[in-house]
Amino acid sequence: MASPSGSTIMSKPTLVTVLLLLLVQINTISGCYTSIFQFGDSLADTGNLLAARNDEHSFMRNYPYGETFFKRPTGRCSDGRLIVDFIAEALGISLIPPYLRHSNQDFKQGVNFAVAGATALDIAVFEEKGVHAYTNYSLGVQLEWFKQLLPSLCALPSGCKDMLSTSLFLVGEIGGNDYNYPFLQGKSVQELRAIVPHVIDTISSTITELIDEGAVTLMVPGNLPIGCSPSYLTVLQSQNKDDYDTNGCLSWLNEFSQFHNQLLQNELNRLREVHPHATIIYADYYNVAIELYQFPNQLGFTGGALTTCCGGGGPYNYNVSAKCGYQGSTACVDPSLFVNWDGVHWTERAYNHIATGILSGPFTTPRIIIGCVSSKSHNDDHSSS
Ligand SMILES: *[C@@H]1O[C@H](CO)[C@@H](O)[C@H](O)[C@H]1NC(C)=O
Ligand SMILES: *[C@@H]1O[C@H](CO)[C@@H](O)[C@H](O)[C@H]1NC(C)=O
């Protein structure tokens, strides 16, 4: 094909830039989201478990939980804000309230259904195997809450569709506890690999139901590198050096997380074909978090990547007899120097790193760009074509 005369005016680098911009536009989802619906576990719970069950087992009700940002325990399993809080801030909306603690008029900018300890699978599955689960508010329960609440969120007949189409649905991280409970109660990796497809099926059917209800944009995070978690490093400590990678993490557990993530991504690819009008984004928590273990000092986590800030002693400062929030544990002076908060959960600063990697880094597929400006020009492009 002959080049149009215009191409002689446009220098080669400019042409390359234009092509790159076009590519970026095609693979980028930008939006001016007005609300967030969050499903998940303690990585995202902003107060549900504490509202449901405020007893001596509710470690997150105790100081120093919340000490950095809220200056009091809020029910978040960290010293401060979680990934969902940083996403809300980036959207310019208020931090979304926990479902069990608020009434419907508070839910104008979304609802948080995540519950600490929640599993993707129904807890009967674990009870059958003799595995004790800490909470029974599984993904299926959270989905029911959403369905029951929905009619009251959009009183106008046309309201629901519009409201849901401008909402960001965060489906997870969920599934981590489906593995935490059995692994930490002595089940083998072979047994655990067998339940991964069931976990993925449950996440998948939840996504399908949400799309059927009107969800248009869904972000689905994968599992974190659990082999770097001080709780696992302590409980499943090994004498065999070959069990550890160069970051000091348990390789076989990280491989397990990646196995889950691979199956999840395969399933999301399938769902994208079945629901072409929906945008299903994979958030690669694993690879953004692994940076924290590879380059802790460069990223300012000089307290150590594998040692918890708040704990009761031991090689990773994680002690099952003196967990954070209980007698015998103490918190570090500056949590922002630590990746891990209490052995199981991350510090606010580590969550901030993950949120930044998701919102402005390369860790989402397709890329998500949050902000009204890009969304507006995106819409203008459509209206003028
Ligand atoms: C979860 O367990 C609590 C107490 O054991 C019970 O009151 C509650 O109804 C259960 N919730 C679900 C959704 O099963
Ligand atoms: C763990 O906590 C218990 C109870 O406070 C304490 O007796 C024990 O010494 C601690 N273990 C380590 C390794 O510090």
Side-chain angles (χ1 to χ4, degrees), residues 295-357:
F295 316 110
N297 293 326
Q298 292 92 321
L299 294 169
F301 294 95
T302 50
L306 303 178
T307 309
T308 75
C309 163
C310 181
Y316 303 95
N317 194 29
Y318 177 78
N319 181 345
V320 286
S321 315
K323 291 183 187 170
C324 182
Y326 295 113
Q327 212 170 16
S329 82
T330 50
C332 64
V333 173
D334 186 354
S336 76
L337 304 180
F338 286 76
V339 171
N340 198 279
W341 167 244
D342 62 2
V344 179
H345 308 101
W346 283 255
T347 57
E348 172 179 277
R349 187 147 169 268
Y351 283 136
N352 193 353
H353 179 83
I354 296 173
T356 305

Side-chain angles (χ1 to χ4, degrees), residues 27-260:
N27 292 313
T28 296
I29 306 305
S30 48
C32 194
Y33 304 105
T34 50
S35 51
I36 296 175
F37 292 96
Q38 168 81 62
F39 301 83
D41 56 25
S42 59
L43 294 187
D45 185 353
T46 55
N48 282 314
L49 187 68
L50 199 52
R53 174 185 171 172
N54 189 347
D55 61 23
E56 72 278 11
H57 300 292
S58 310
F59 56 89
M60 76 297 284
R61 75 175 179 173
N62 300 326
Y63 206 76
Y65 283 88
E67 67 167 4
T68 299
F69 185 78
F70 301 97
K71 311 294 179 197
R72 62 180 173 88
T74 61
R76 287 170 176 78
C77 297
S78 185
D79 59 313
R81 288 162 290 182
L82 310 180
I83 297 168
V84 60
D85 296 317
F86 290 113
I87 294 177
E89 285 182 2
L91 290 178
I93 63 177
S94 52
L95 304 187
I96 59 169
Y99 172 70
L100 294 178
R101 197 184 273 170
H102 287 262
S103 51
N104 297 4
Q105 65 266 23
D106 298 330
F107 297 145
K108 295 199 166 53
Q109 296 188 314
V111 191
N112 190 342
F113 300 104
V115 186
T119 47
L121 299 174
D122 196 279
I123 65 153
V125 176
F126 301 99
E127 281 166 355
E128 272 167 29
K129 295 181 199 293
V131 170
H132 173 69
Y134 180 73
T135 7
N136 55 3
Y137 301 100
S138 62
L139 190 55
V141 172
Q142 296 176 28
L143 182 64
E144 281 309 310
W145 287 344
F146 170 74
K147 287 189 194 170
Q148 284 167 16
L149 182 67
L150 189 56
S152 71
L153 293 183
C154 35
L156 299 168
S158 66
C160 249
K161 194 165 177 283
D162 287 349
M163 189 268 291
L164 293 175
S165 68
T166 56
S167 297
L168 181 61
F169 283 77
L170 303 176
V171 187
E173 175 278 331
I174 187 75
N177 289 319
D178 297 66
Y179 313 132
N180 291 342
Y181 294 130
F183 268 137
L184 296 171
Q185 292 173 43
K187 298 291 175 188
S188 72
V189 69
Q190 288 77 12
E191 279 177 273
L192 269 286
R193 281 178 85 95
I195 73 162
V196 178
H198 301 293
V199 170
I200 303 301
D201 278 353
T202 307
I203 297 172
S204 174
S205 60
T206 303
I207 293 169
T208 300
E209 288 206 48
L210 289 172
I211 292 172
D212 290 345
E213 294 284 342
V216 174
T217 309
L218 305 95
M219 183 153 80
V220 188
N223 214 334
L224 284 153
I226 59 174
C228 304
S229 176
S231 55
Y232 277 104
L233 286 164
T234 304
V235 176
L236 301 176
Q237 201 165 354
S238 165
Q239 298 306 316
N240 185 353
K241 278 199 160 66
D242 294 341
D243 285 341
Y244 295 89
D245 66 18
T246 50
N247 301 321
C249 305
L250 285 162
S251 315
W252 63 276
L253 281 166
N254 280 356
E255 280 158 20
F256 183 85
S257 296
Q258 288 174 291
F259 176 64
H260 166 96

